[in-house]
Amino acid sequence: MSTLVLAEHDNADLKDATLATITAATQLGGDVHVLVAGAGCGSVAEAAAKVAGVAKVLVADDAAYGAALPENLAPLIAGLMAGYDAFVAPATSRGKNVAPRVAAALDVAQISEILSVEGPDTFTRPIYAGNAIATVKSSDAKKVITVRGTAFAKAATSGGSASVEAVSGAGSAGTSSFVGAELTKSARPELTAAKIIVSGGRALGSSDKFHEFIDPLADKLGAAVGASRAAVDAGYAPNDYQVGQTGKIVAPELYVAVGISGAIQHLAGMKDSKIIVAINKDEEAPIFQVADVGLVGDLFTLVPELTGKL
Amino acid sequence: MKVLVPVKRVVDYNVKVRVKSDNTGVELANIKMSMNPFDEIAVEEAIRLKEKGIATEVVVVSVGVQQCTETLRTALAMGADRGILILTDVTTESLAVAKVLAGIVAEEAPGLVILGKQAIDDDANQTGQMLAGLLGWAQGTFASKVDPQGETVNVTREIDGGLETVALKMPAIVTTDLRLNEPRYASLPNIMKAKSKPIANKTPADYGVDMTPRLTTLKVTEPAKRQAGIKVKSVDELVAKLKEMGAVA
């Protein structure tokens, strides 16, 4: 039994999502190898080789893999899979983009966003926005799996001494090209990796108010900023701030929900947080049913007061 | 250019699903079913491409039980031109559905296939990518903007760090994210008109596809419930409580 893990990275740094994925892969039993596919991604391969539990790092360094285009990556991975029993990717936007394409090439069903490994072919995963948890058993000879990062501990970034081996694939499939990206620039921690998150909802009322009230509290706490779907849809916050069923799944130590009513779809994305604090003027809001500490009142007076007193 | 839009019949977005007491699945008896919300966005996008004169025909397809006809009628009432029902009682897994869709693509030769990024029942987020893989086509998943320009389509995608744009050679696959558009409601005259639009009936066997599931669901359980905590009366109390819990220094 051996498992190939897809590394999540930006050609410079190995992302935390990879570490939880490596932990899940380790639980399958057998050797864990990590594929670093990118362009000029040598530093990522070095970082991956140091991760505890990794036996080997495969590096596919090619301009065609720089932007992680799935048309180019999937054939590379499917080719490498001849030597592996399982392919495991983080359930990030990149992992979700490429893994099903690999599964199709291998003619196997994918098991999406697993929460636990119950055995070499049995896993739990959320369905219906996390309102139910299914235990599924795969009958395929090879497994293709994506991993929910918040459900597994992160593998240690030191202690490993994996060998690094260069691999190559067919390169560009010639069907797609990367045009550009508008990445949200922020000095704050990354949402899925943050220990504390302050999230704002529709009650903020405008983009200006969102930043005026949420940002200082987040900065005071050293927190990442999140948002409900309603706030993102209304244009108060960019799409990558969205926490919920179709946005990011987070599980920080502390989650502060400000002016968020707590739709099922939002709760699905944050209910595994260790401590949840809710500030909302509606005392009947569903967010209070999951909050450890609730404060009913006007966020426009309470949030600045809280920022001041922390 | 023809646009193909697969649609799935799922438990309505507003229904609070309950796990069956015998843990074999979720309660589906007498539950309101609707079109998967992401698929509504896909249908809307296809219709808009037709209204702009870019698409010539919008074909909708659904794989599943007989009642999927209702889902197809909803899409036809929104403005799609015709429907295809692939009748099967077997649990539909993404891979098998993608194989059926690949067969339909071979017949219909669409320039774009637009799908919802995931269905809100099994939350798999696979079918579009698998179809693209089977066909060897380019894919633009989690789309917030779709801009066909001659032989290519530029797709702006919602990704973890923000947005990215890719240029795809057509024919291509697009999967929709929430902010691509706001689907229209079907008007009463259009609902009436949809009743006379054609729906072809086929089966997976017509495309040589074996629907046998690869995954067996051993059990379905309720997620761990969170207990509601306490309510505090003031910011001072909140700060004190957070310190007590060790959440803040």
Side-chain angles (χ1 to χ4, degrees):
Chain A
M1 173 93 198
S2 58
T3 300
L4 185 64
V5 169
L6 180 68
E8 175 91 8
H9 65 90
D10 56 4
N11 293 314
D13 297 308
L14 185 71
K15 300 290 182 190
D16 275 6
T18 317
L19 304 174
T21 308
I22 289 170
T23 301
T26 310
Q27 292 177 9
L28 292 172
D31 281 354
V32 174
H33 296 183
V34 173
L35 172 65
V36 178
C41 54
S43 59
V44 180
E46 281 172 36
K50 293 191 185 111
V51 176
V54 177
K56 192 197 273 187
V57 175
L58 306 180
V59 192
D61 201 330
D62 186 320
Y65 307 133
L69 292 169
E71 297 79 7
N72 303 349
L73 271 186
L76 168 74
I77 298 164
L80 292 170
M81 282 305 291
Y84 294 94
D85 303 296
F87 173 67
V88 186
T92 53
S93 54
R94 280 190 173 181
K96 289 175 182 175
N97 200 24
V98 73
R101 214 171 157 118
V102 173
L106 300 174
D107 192 32
V108 305
Q110 175 181 305
I111 306 122
S112 295
E113 296 225 14
I114 62 162
L115 302 173
S116 70
V117 176
E118 303 290 313
D121 55 5
T122 307
F123 311 92
T124 63
R125 58 174 306 267
I127 54 174
Y128 293 94
N131 285 304
I133 308 296
T135 305
V136 296
K137 186 180 161 101
S138 164
S139 61
D140 286 313
K142 287 184 196 285
K143 316 287 182 249
V144 173
I145 295 164
T146 62
V147 172
R148 177 167 288 188
T150 55
F152 293 86
K154 290 179 187 127
T157 52
S158 62
S161 56
S163 58
V164 178
E165 185 183 305
V167 294
S168 58
S172 175
T175 52
S176 61
S177 59
F178 175 74
V179 176
E182 292 168 49
L183 300 181
T184 306
K185 286 191 182 63
S186 170
R188 297 194 186 94
E190 203 185 330
L191 200 46
T192 51
K195 289 198 162 54
I196 303 178
I197 294 172
V198 179
S199 270
R202 187 161 45 191
L204 270 305
S206 71
S207 174
D208 289 346
K209 290 263 191 299
F210 190 97
H211 293 295
E212 184 187 335
F213 289 87
I214 298 297
D215 291 3
L217 178 57
D219 291 340
K220 194 70 176 271
L221 289 166
V225 176
S228 69
R229 180 189 163 189
V232 174
D233 281 354
Y236 304 167
N239 68 276
D240 53 298
Y241 279 33
Q242 187 180 321
V243 171
Q245 178 191 12
T246 62
K248 295 204 171 76
I249 309 291
V250 299
E253 301 285 316
L254 173 63
Y255 188 92
V256 184
V258 177
I260 291 177
S261 61
I264 301 173
Q265 290 77 14
H266 185 76
L267 300 184
M270 46 65 81
K271 68 180 167 54
D272 294 326
S273 305
K274 204 163 162 214
I275 298 172
I276 297 173
V277 171
I279 300 175
N280 200 301
K281 68 173 187 308
D282 173 12
E283 64 179 312
E284 300 298 321
I287 190 77
F288 289 120
Q289 289 165 20
V290 300
D292 298 287
V293 190
L295 179 56
V296 179
D298 179 24
L299 73 92
F300 296 111
T301 50
L302 295 175
V303 171
E305 189 187 343
L306 177 61
T307 307
K309 285 179 174 165
L310 280 168
Chain B
M1 176 182 75
K2 203 187 275 185
V3 179
L4 184 70
V5 183
V7 294
K8 187 176 187 184
R9 177 178 181 266
V10 298
V11 170
D12 186 84
Y13 187 74
N14 292 310
V15 171
K16 170 107 181 76
V17 299
R18 283 179 209 292
V19 172
K20 282 187 191 168
S21 53
D22 63 359
N23 294 119
T24 56
V26 300
E27 201 56 69
L28 292 177
N30 304 315
I31 292 269
K32 186 184 177 199
M33 305 292 279
S34 298
M35 192 193 302
N36 179 39
F38 289 98
D39 302 350
E40 282 185 355
I41 295 170
V43 172
E44 175 67 31
E45 194 66 15
I47 295 167
R48 288 187 191 188
L49 288 175
K50 192 182 171 193
E51 287 167 349
K52 284 184 202 154
I54 296 168
T56 49
E57 189 185 26
V58 176
V59 182
V60 288
V61 53
S62 192
V63 182
V65 294
Q66 189 64 48
Q67 292 92 319
C68 292
T69 309
E70 295 159 21
T71 316
L72 289 170
R73 290 277 173 222
T74 305
L76 296 174
M78 286 172 72
D81 296 294
R82 62 187 167 87
I84 304 170
L85 172 69
I86 311 293
L87 189 64
T88 178
D89 289 330
V90 179
T91 304
T92 51
E93 281 184 0
S94 305
L95 180 64
V97 171
K99 286 179 181 178
V100 171
L101 294 176
I104 297 171
V105 164
E107 265 179 16
E108 299 279 347
L112 278 177
V113 183
I114 309 179
L115 310 86
K117 76 165 180 180
Q118 73 191 68
I120 61 165
D121 49 4
D122 59 17
D123 286 327
N125 194 333
Q126 299 173 9
T127 308
Q129 296 91 312
M130 284 180 161
L131 178 61
L134 293 174
L135 297 168
W137 289 8
Q139 67 187 50
T141 54
F142 326 144
S144 66
K145 193 175 170 207
V146 177
D147 185 15
Q149 302 279 355
E151 302 293 297
T152 51
V153 56
N154 283 329
V155 178
T156 301
R157 310 178 52 234
E158 296 200 358
I159 59 167
D160 290 340
L163 297 170
E164 78 169 22
T165 303
V166 288
L168 313 176
K169 206 167 112 184
M170 292 210 282
I173 306 290
V174 170
T175 78
T176 62
D177 218 316
L178 289 170
R179 281 165 285 275
L180 180 58
N181 61 49
E182 209 165 297
R184 70 194 66 191
Y185 288 101
S187 66
L188 189 59
N190 285 343
I191 292 171
M192 299 310 288
K193 226 188 286 175
K195 291 186 177 167
S196 57
K197 288 183 179 175
I199 294 180
N201 286 285
K202 305 258 187 152
T203 66
D206 293 338
Y207 300 93
V209 176
D210 175 4
M211 297 293 290
T212 310
R214 308 289 186 86
L215 302 178
T216 314
T217 300
L218 302 179
K219 66 176 176 187
V220 174
T221 54
E222 297 246 3
K225 282 253 183 306
R226 257 194 111 92
Q227 296 296 323
I230 54 151
K231 283 207 178 101
V232 291
K233 297 243 179 316
S234 69
V235 168
D236 289 324
E237 259 186 74
L238 173 59
V239 172
K241 189 75 199 164
L242 287 176
K243 284 186 176 159
E244 183 193 316
M245 295 166 103
V248 295

